[in-house]
Amino acid sequence: VQLQASGGGLVQAGGSLRLSCAASGFASDYQTVAWFRQAPGKEREGVSCIRSGSNGPMYADSVKGRFTISRDNAKNTMYLQMNSLKPEDTAVYYCAVRFNRVLAYMCLDPSSYVSWGQGTLVTVSS
């Protein structure tokens, strides 16, 4: 599995960015897709994920109402639309996938994934 994340950059607080993650193979084969982030000196944390067949995406409390995850299987790409960005959103953002559908409690747990993109840096200035 090869994942290529892009779309990061420098943005002022309150601004928006859209991250993309292009996947090798057929995106529809990935039953679980997710975004994570890691700020300097902190552990990697789950941001959002989608499990095929579930009721809807899952989000970390810190991003609910501001971030939206989506996927376009025809383009083999997943996205993370980030609005109302805050300085505390500054981090390297990673995409991750799994071929199987994980249990809900595993969806935002980084240890559930072995296939990762290279990361894209998001910097939010105050």
Side-chain angles (χ1 to χ4, degrees), residues 4-110:
Q4 182 72 37
S6 62
L10 174 64
V11 63
Q12 288 187 333
S16 298
L17 282 174
R18 188 177 79 156
L19 305 183
S20 300
C21 177
S24 63
F26 295 100
S28 59
D29 289 342
Y30 306 127
Q31 299 300 306
T32 306
V33 299
W35 286 96
F36 293 82
R37 66 186 182 186
Q38 188 165 16
K42 295 188 177 181
E43 294 185 350
R44 191 168 298 189
E45 64 172 352
V47 175
S48 183
C49 63
I50 299 175
R51 299 181 305 138
S52 295
S54 65
N55 291 333
M58 298 176 63
Y59 295 93
D61 288 342
S62 59
V63 306
K64 280 181 182 177
R66 300 188 298 121
F67 290 11
T68 303
I69 189 173
S70 62
R71 61 187 297 178
D72 185 338
N73 289 344
K75 296 182 178 180
N76 290 347
T77 303
M78 56 190 283
Y79 303 96
L80 185 68
Q81 177 67 43
M82 305 186 296
N83 299 328
S84 302
L85 283 161
K86 304 175 181 180
E88 51 264 42
D89 294 320
T90 295
V92 177
Y93 283 72
Y94 300 90
C95 53
V97 300
R98 281 190 64 142
F99 285 106
N100 60 313
R101 183 174 180 270
V102 302
L103 297 175
Y105 79 92
M106 299 171 63
C107 200
L108 292 177
D109 184 350

Side-chain angles (χ1 to χ4, degrees), residues 111-124:
S111 67
S112 301
Y113 299 83
V114 295
S115 299
W116 294 87
Q118 86 289 0
T120 185
L121 176 62
V122 173
T123 304
V124 184

